[in-house]
Amino acid sequence: MTVTVPILRQGSALIASIQEDLCDSDILNLQSRILEDVIRYRANAVIVDVSAIGILDSFGTKTLIEIAHSVKLRGAKMIIVGIQPDVAISMVLLGLTLKDIPTALDLDHGLALIGET
Amino acid sequence: MQVPAPLDAMVQAIRRDADVISARQMGRALAEDLGFSRPDQALVATAISELARNIVVYADHGEIELTTLQQGDRQGIRIIARDHGPGIADLERALCDGFSTGNSLGLGLPGTRRIMDEFDIRSPPGEGVTIIAVKWQLR
Ligand SMILES: Nc1ncnc2c1ncn2[C@@H]1O[C@H](COP(=O)(O)OP(=O)(O)OP(=O)(O)O)[C@@H](O)[C@H]1O
Ligand SMILES: [Mg+2]
């Protein structure tokens, strides 16, 4: 089963809302599509909404960090929004950090952060 | 001390990354059924995800077995991750934060040990890896 995460455009920003538990290959697929779209639309920001995700393990976290770094290399910035409280607790206990990737409470706050409200 | 009595067990074969999802969803559903708190449900699912992924990445295939334990009036979930891959030569090093032979974060094993109440790992030469981890319900 393959899950394709929809990537929407809002102004010069891209919004990827992860709707369900993604397997590793789905996450890798999302990574390449985000990069393609950043280039194609000359986006200056990417918001990844993870509010529907019930778990972020080491692989998921590592991939998000990689996506953020590659987006940054294109001169755009990435924001992760909607990390659920239970997910945040497990990440902290597991020792996972999102390094320097900015986060916001939800999509609205994320859009406000990049000035797209 | 009372020996925890195993109730029922379920097994998920782990061969590819989709099985990692199935296993962790099975674990979350079990934790939910047993009345584990939401954060503990997430912890059980995360532990299963880490152990199952290690099987896919380092051992090619194996299995995750979940058992409900009963000890006195509390219940627990026992995760057994089993494979017959190359095994781990230096367990102590593998359990250190940041140690990875797979160019990853090296947090799966040490992190799982932190988030579970009991954690036991064995890797006798030539026999792959067996990890037993237990999470007890809070009273
Ligand atoms: N089932 C296994 N069989 C063989 N070696 C393993 C197995 N599980 C873990 N290892 C070894 O132990 C190391 C540490 O595992 P751990 O899960 O902590 O980190 P990782 O998988 O490298 O990175 P992360 O889990 O953070 O993505 C691995 O890099 C690998 O060398
Ligand atoms: Mg791992």
Side-chain angles (χ1 to χ4, degrees):
Chain A
M1 192 189 64
T2 312
V3 179
T4 305
V5 177
I7 302 177
L8 309 175
R9 280 163 66 198
Q10 165 134 355
S12 53
L14 299 174
I15 303 171
S17 298
I18 303 179
Q19 296 302 334
E20 55 192 294
D21 222 359
L22 299 181
C23 72
D24 302 357
S25 45
D26 295 331
I27 301 181
L28 293 174
N29 173 267
L30 174 65
Q31 174 169 29
S32 57
R33 287 178 47 244
I34 285 180
L35 271 184
E36 280 165 22
D37 280 10
V38 164
I39 293 167
R40 181 178 312 145
Y41 302 117
R42 301 182 161 276
N44 57 27
V46 177
I47 296 181
V48 177
D49 185 350
V50 298
S51 53
I53 297 257
I55 171 175
L56 254 180
D57 63 4
S58 59
F59 182 85
T61 304
K62 177 177 165 255
T63 314
L64 282 177
I65 294 169
E66 283 172 5
I67 298 176
H69 283 168
S70 46
V71 165
K72 194 172 175 185
L73 286 175
R74 287 293 310 179
K77 75 168 166 187
M78 188 171 107
I79 300 174
I80 295 174
V81 303
I83 297 178
Q84 293 300 302
D86 309 335
V87 176
I89 294 173
S90 333
M91 287 178 68
V92 169
L93 293 177
L94 211 73
L96 296 170
T97 56
L98 286 172
K99 302 273 168 64
D100 48 358
I101 309 175
T103 54
L105 196 58
D106 56 25
L107 192 51
D108 286 343
H109 285 87
L111 287 166
L113 213 59
I114 56 166
E116 285 281 349
T117 29
Chain B
M1 202 188 87
Q2 245 177 311
V3 176
L7 298 178
D8 52 322
M10 35 195 169
V11 175
Q12 168 74 51
I14 306 292
R15 295 170 194 287
R16 46 204 160 84
D17 66 346
D19 299 328
V20 176
I21 310 260
S22 310
R24 75 186 183 207
Q25 285 174 348
M26 183 170 96
R28 184 187 280 274
L30 177 61
E32 198 179 337
D33 284 350
L34 295 180
F36 274 59
S37 69
R38 295 253 325 160
D40 281 353
Q41 292 172 27
L43 292 181
V44 169
T46 305
I48 294 171
S49 192
E50 295 297 344
L51 299 181
R53 171 155 309 94
N54 279 353
I55 291 177
V56 174
V57 174
Y58 301 110
D60 187 62
H61 65 277
E63 61 181 31
I64 296 281
E65 180 184 310
L66 299 181
T67 312
T68 306
L69 301 178
Q70 180 88 42
Q71 188 172 50
D73 61 354
R74 66 174 185 168
Q75 291 185 310
I77 294 178
R78 182 180 67 199
I79 306 166
I80 303 183
R82 236 186 244 115
D83 68 63
H84 298 283
I88 302 176
D90 189 342
L91 285 177
E92 208 167 308
R93 207 158 58 128
L95 284 164
C96 285
D97 275 1
F99 175 79
S100 175
T101 58
N103 188 27
S104 194
L105 302 173
L107 288 171
L109 290 180
T112 300
R113 176 154 74 166
R114 274 193 291 275
I115 64 181
M116 299 297 283
D117 297 322
E118 295 168 26
F119 183 91
D120 180 69
I121 180 166
R122 280 164 208 221
S123 186
E127 286 177 40
V129 178
T130 302
I131 294 167
I132 303 182
V134 179
K135 186 91 197 154
W136 290 104
Q137 198 175 11
L138 286 175
R139 272 182 285 198

